[in-house]
Amino acid sequence: MVRRKLNKKSKHRRAMFRNMLTEFFRHERIETSLPKAKELQPLAEKMITTAETSNLKNRRTVHEELKDKDVVKKLFDEIAPRFSDRSGGYTRILKMYPRRGDGSERAILELVE
């Protein structure tokens, strides 16, 4: 599922990406560090691809990861239909300025319009 360890244990990493995915689909953009954005992008793309075909199996699969009914409903009813004619590339990463405190690279992950 995840390629980079990001200095986290596997359960912490999975929970972190689950929370980030939920917030990403809720707000349709998220600001985070560049390595986290690069790891989150393929997960979000796979969720949107799964949501393009709206059936019970796919809803349960997505709900198992996101754990929020409202976000799952928004993903299937609003976000996925926007990209039905597109075969991939639903998200983009925009690099930002480095963080002031430690200089880590920041990025915005957002849906392509």
mmCIF file of all heavy atoms in Angstrom, residues 31-56:
data_model
loop_
_atom_site.group_PDB
_atom_site.id
_atom_site.type_symbol
_atom_site.label_atom_id
_atom_site.label_comp_id
_atom_site.label_asym_id
_atom_site.label_seq_id
_atom_site.Cartn_x
_atom_site.Cartn_y
_atom_site.Cartn_z
ATOM 1 N N GLU A 31 -2.991 20.629 2.177
ATOM 2 C CA GLU A 31 -1.627 21.133 2.245
ATOM 3 C C GLU A 31 -0.840 20.250 3.202
ATOM 4 O O GLU A 31 -1.252 20.039 4.342
ATOM 5 C CB GLU A 31 -1.633 22.575 2.749
ATOM 6 C CG GLU A 31 -0.268 23.204 2.798
ATOM 7 C CD GLU A 31 -0.310 24.633 3.306
ATOM 8 O OE1 GLU A 31 -1.288 25.338 3.011
ATOM 9 O OE2 GLU A 31 0.643 25.012 4.006
ATOM 10 N N THR A 32 0.275 19.717 2.736
ATOM 11 C CA THR A 32 1.056 18.783 3.532
ATOM 12 C C THR A 32 2.509 18.823 3.070
ATOM 13 O O THR A 32 2.875 19.646 2.231
ATOM 14 C CB THR A 32 0.477 17.356 3.412
ATOM 15 O OG1 THR A 32 1.197 16.489 4.258
ATOM 16 C CG2 THR A 32 0.491 16.858 1.999
ATOM 17 N N SER A 33 3.333 17.943 3.612
ATOM 18 C CA SER A 33 4.726 17.879 3.171
ATOM 19 C C SER A 33 4.792 17.183 1.809
ATOM 20 O O SER A 33 3.902 16.411 1.445
ATOM 21 C CB SER A 33 5.583 17.142 4.193
ATOM 22 O OG SER A 33 5.206 15.795 4.257
ATOM 23 N N LEU A 34 5.845 17.444 1.073
ATOM 24 C CA LEU A 34 5.980 16.899 -0.278
ATOM 25 C C LEU A 34 6.040 15.365 -0.293
ATOM 26 O O LEU A 34 5.340 14.746 -1.096
ATOM 27 C CB LEU A 34 7.199 17.502 -0.969
ATOM 28 C CG LEU A 34 7.405 17.124 -2.425
ATOM 29 C CD1 LEU A 34 6.214 17.565 -3.277
ATOM 30 C CD2 LEU A 34 8.682 17.729 -2.961
ATOM 31 N N PRO A 35 6.806 14.712 0.596
ATOM 32 C CA PRO A 35 6.803 13.243 0.575
ATOM 33 C C PRO A 35 5.434 12.638 0.893
ATOM 34 O O PRO A 35 5.032 11.643 0.286
ATOM 35 C CB PRO A 35 7.829 12.851 1.641
ATOM 36 C CG PRO A 35 8.701 14.038 1.795
ATOM 37 C CD PRO A 35 7.843 15.221 1.503
ATOM 38 N N LYS A 36 4.700 13.236 1.813
ATOM 39 C CA LYS A 36 3.362 12.739 2.135
ATOM 40 C C LYS A 36 2.417 12.928 0.952
ATOM 41 O O LYS A 36 1.604 12.055 0.657
ATOM 42 C CB LYS A 36 2.793 13.440 3.362
ATOM 43 C CG LYS A 36 3.412 12.992 4.656
ATOM 44 C CD LYS A 36 2.792 13.752 5.815
ATOM 45 C CE LYS A 36 3.507 13.462 7.105
ATOM 46 N NZ LYS A 36 2.999 14.288 8.205
ATOM 47 N N ALA A 37 2.530 14.060 0.272
ATOM 48 C CA ALA A 37 1.684 14.309 -0.898
ATOM 49 C C ALA A 37 1.982 13.306 -2.002
ATOM 50 O O ALA A 37 1.067 12.799 -2.660
ATOM 51 C CB ALA A 37 1.888 15.736 -1.402
ATOM 52 N N LYS A 38 3.260 12.980 -2.191
ATOM 53 C CA LYS A 38 3.630 12.015 -3.229
ATOM 54 C C LYS A 38 3.121 10.615 -2.901
ATOM 55 O O LYS A 38 2.855 9.827 -3.803
ATOM 56 C CB LYS A 38 5.145 11.997 -3.412
ATOM 57 C CG LYS A 38 5.658 13.210 -4.153
ATOM 58 C CD LYS A 38 7.150 13.123 -4.375
ATOM 59 C CE LYS A 38 7.652 14.301 -5.173
ATOM 60 N NZ LYS A 38 9.107 14.209 -5.403
ATOM 61 N N GLU A 39 3.013 10.279 -1.635
ATOM 62 C CA GLU A 39 2.475 8.983 -1.239
ATOM 63 C C GLU A 39 0.953 8.964 -1.283
ATOM 64 O O GLU A 39 0.348 7.936 -1.541
ATOM 65 C CB GLU A 39 2.944 8.621 0.170
ATOM 66 C CG GLU A 39 4.371 8.188 0.236
ATOM 67 C CD GLU A 39 4.659 6.972 -0.618
ATOM 68 O OE1 GLU A 39 3.898 5.988 -0.536
ATOM 69 O OE2 GLU A 39 5.637 7.014 -1.374
ATOM 70 N N LEU A 40 0.332 10.109 -1.008
ATOM 71 C CA LEU A 40 -1.124 10.190 -0.960
ATOM 72 C C LEU A 40 -1.743 10.221 -2.355
ATOM 73 O O LEU A 40 -2.856 9.723 -2.547
ATOM 74 C CB LEU A 40 -1.541 11.436 -0.166
ATOM 75 C CG LEU A 40 -2.988 11.567 0.226
ATOM 76 C CD1 LEU A 40 -3.352 10.457 1.197
ATOM 77 C CD2 LEU A 40 -3.232 12.915 0.862
ATOM 78 N N GLN A 41 -1.043 10.763 -3.326
ATOM 79 C CA GLN A 41 -1.595 10.933 -4.673
ATOM 80 C C GLN A 41 -2.062 9.621 -5.303
ATOM 81 O O GLN A 41 -3.204 9.548 -5.769
ATOM 82 C CB GLN A 41 -0.579 11.637 -5.562
ATOM 83 C CG GLN A 41 -1.127 11.991 -6.922
ATOM 84 C CD GLN A 41 -0.149 12.788 -7.749
ATOM 85 O OE1 GLN A 41 1.060 12.758 -7.516
ATOM 86 N NE2 GLN A 41 -0.672 13.510 -8.729
ATOM 87 N N PRO A 42 -1.260 8.545 -5.327
ATOM 88 C CA PRO A 42 -1.768 7.312 -5.945
ATOM 89 C C PRO A 42 -2.940 6.703 -5.190
ATOM 90 O O PRO A 42 -3.833 6.104 -5.801
ATOM 91 C CB PRO A 42 -0.570 6.361 -5.932
ATOM 92 C CG PRO A 42 0.560 7.075 -5.355
ATOM 93 C CD PRO A 42 0.139 8.438 -4.960
ATOM 94 N N LEU A 43 -2.975 6.866 -3.873
ATOM 95 C CA LEU A 43 -4.102 6.349 -3.091
ATOM 96 C C LEU A 43 -5.393 7.072 -3.465
ATOM 97 O O LEU A 43 -6.442 6.454 -3.634
ATOM 98 C CB LEU A 43 -3.819 6.494 -1.595
ATOM 99 C CG LEU A 43 -2.592 5.764 -1.060
ATOM 100 C CD1 LEU A 43 -2.379 6.104 0.412
ATOM 101 C CD2 LEU A 43 -2.718 4.279 -1.249
ATOM 102 N N ALA A 44 -5.312 8.402 -3.605
ATOM 103 C CA ALA A 44 -6.489 9.187 -3.983
ATOM 104 C C ALA A 44 -6.945 8.841 -5.397
ATOM 105 O O ALA A 44 -8.150 8.724 -5.656
ATOM 106 C CB ALA A 44 -6.174 10.680 -3.875
ATOM 107 N N GLU A 45 -5.999 8.663 -6.297
ATOM 108 C CA GLU A 45 -6.340 8.313 -7.683
ATOM 109 C C GLU A 45 -7.069 6.976 -7.742
ATOM 110 O O GLU A 45 -8.050 6.816 -8.468
ATOM 111 C CB GLU A 45 -5.073 8.251 -8.539
ATOM 112 C CG GLU A 45 -4.306 9.551 -8.569
ATOM 113 C CD GLU A 45 -4.462 10.331 -9.841
ATOM 114 O OE1 GLU A 45 -4.982 9.782 -10.815
ATOM 115 O OE2 GLU A 45 -4.059 11.499 -9.849
ATOM 116 N N LYS A 46 -6.601 5.994 -6.964
ATOM 117 C CA LYS A 46 -7.249 4.685 -6.948
ATOM 118 C C LYS A 46 -8.653 4.768 -6.374
ATOM 119 O O LYS A 46 -9.569 4.079 -6.839
ATOM 120 C CB LYS A 46 -6.409 3.685 -6.142
ATOM 121 C CG LYS A 46 -5.170 3.246 -6.863
ATOM 122 C CD LYS A 46 -4.336 2.318 -6.016
ATOM 123 C CE LYS A 46 -3.004 2.053 -6.700
ATOM 124 N NZ LYS A 46 -2.088 1.285 -5.859
ATOM 125 N N MET A 47 -8.848 5.614 -5.354
ATOM 126 C CA MET A 47 -10.186 5.783 -4.766
ATOM 127 C C MET A 47 -11.145 6.367 -5.797
ATOM 128 O O MET A 47 -12.286 5.923 -5.908
ATOM 129 C CB MET A 47 -10.133 6.704 -3.549
ATOM 130 C CG MET A 47 -9.511 6.114 -2.361
ATOM 131 S SD MET A 47 -10.666 5.066 -1.522
ATOM 132 C CE MET A 47 -9.643 4.476 -0.229
ATOM 133 N N ILE A 48 -10.696 7.370 -6.540
ATOM 134 C CA ILE A 48 -11.565 8.003 -7.542
ATOM 135 C C ILE A 48 -11.885 7.001 -8.652
ATOM 136 O O ILE A 48 -13.029 6.917 -9.107
ATOM 137 C CB ILE A 48 -10.916 9.277 -8.104
ATOM 138 C CG1 ILE A 48 -10.799 10.323 -7.005
ATOM 139 C CG2 ILE A 48 -11.726 9.825 -9.267
ATOM 140 C CD1 ILE A 48 -10.001 11.545 -7.383
ATOM 141 N N THR A 49 -10.896 6.226 -9.071
ATOM 142 C CA THR A 49 -11.128 5.221 -10.107
ATOM 143 C C THR A 49 -12.133 4.181 -9.634
ATOM 144 O O THR A 49 -13.024 3.772 -10.383
ATOM 145 C CB THR A 49 -9.804 4.528 -10.487
ATOM 146 O OG1 THR A 49 -8.883 5.526 -10.923
ATOM 147 C CG2 THR A 49 -10.020 3.523 -11.587
ATOM 148 N N THR A 50 -12.023 3.767 -8.374
ATOM 149 C CA THR A 50 -12.982 2.815 -7.806
ATOM 150 C C THR A 50 -14.373 3.428 -7.742
ATOM 151 O O THR A 50 -15.369 2.756 -8.014
ATOM 152 C CB THR A 50 -12.535 2.380 -6.396
ATOM 153 O OG1 THR A 50 -11.221 1.841 -6.481
ATOM 154 C CG2 THR A 50 -13.464 1.341 -5.824
ATOM 155 N N ALA A 51 -14.455 4.707 -7.403
ATOM 156 C CA ALA A 51 -15.745 5.371 -7.243
ATOM 157 C C ALA A 51 -16.431 5.669 -8.571
ATOM 158 O O ALA A 51 -17.631 5.962 -8.590
ATOM 159 C CB ALA A 51 -15.570 6.668 -6.454
ATOM 160 N N GLU A 52 -15.718 5.594 -9.682
ATOM 161 C CA GLU A 52 -16.346 5.854 -10.983
ATOM 162 C C GLU A 52 -17.432 4.836 -11.293
ATOM 163 O O GLU A 52 -18.423 5.162 -11.940
ATOM 164 C CB GLU A 52 -15.295 5.864 -12.089
ATOM 165 C CG GLU A 52 -14.502 7.140 -12.142
ATOM 166 C CD GLU A 52 -13.481 7.158 -13.255
ATOM 167 O OE1 GLU A 52 -13.271 6.118 -13.906
ATOM 168 O OE2 GLU A 52 -12.891 8.222 -13.472
ATOM 169 N N THR A 53 -17.256 3.601 -10.839
ATOM 170 C CA THR A 53 -18.283 2.573 -11.002
ATOM 171 C C THR A 53 -19.030 2.462 -9.685
ATOM 172 O O THR A 53 -18.514 1.934 -8.713
ATOM 173 C CB THR A 53 -17.649 1.210 -11.358
ATOM 174 O OG1 THR A 53 -16.796 1.384 -12.475
ATOM 175 C CG2 THR A 53 -18.715 0.190 -11.661
ATOM 176 N N SER A 54 -20.239 2.980 -9.650
ATOM 177 C CA SER A 54 -21.000 3.040 -8.407
ATOM 178 C C SER A 54 -21.811 1.760 -8.234
ATOM 179 O O SER A 54 -22.869 1.590 -8.823
ATOM 180 C CB SER A 54 -21.928 4.251 -8.414
ATOM 181 O OG SER A 54 -22.644 4.311 -7.208
ATOM 182 N N ASN A 55 -21.278 0.846 -7.420
ATOM 183 C CA ASN A 55 -22.039 -0.337 -7.029
ATOM 184 C C ASN A 55 -21.751 -0.622 -5.560
ATOM 185 O O ASN A 55 -20.898 0.023 -4.945
ATOM 186 C CB ASN A 55 -21.718 -1.549 -7.920
ATOM 187 C CG ASN A 55 -20.254 -1.914 -7.917
ATOM 188 O OD1 ASN A 55 -19.536 -1.664 -6.968
ATOM 189 N ND2 ASN A 55 -19.800 -2.509 -9.010
ATOM 190 N N LEU A 56 -22.457 -1.548 -4.990
ATOM 191 C CA LEU A 56 -22.361 -1.798 -3.558
ATOM 192 C C LEU A 56 -20.966 -2.255 -3.154
ATOM 193 O O LEU A 56 -20.436 -1.823 -2.129
ATOM 194 C CB LEU A 56 -23.403 -2.833 -3.139
ATOM 195 C CG LEU A 56 -23.525 -3.099 -1.642
ATOM 196 C CD1 LEU A 56 -23.887 -1.824 -0.901
ATOM 197 C CD2 LEU A 56 -24.566 -4.174 -1.384
#
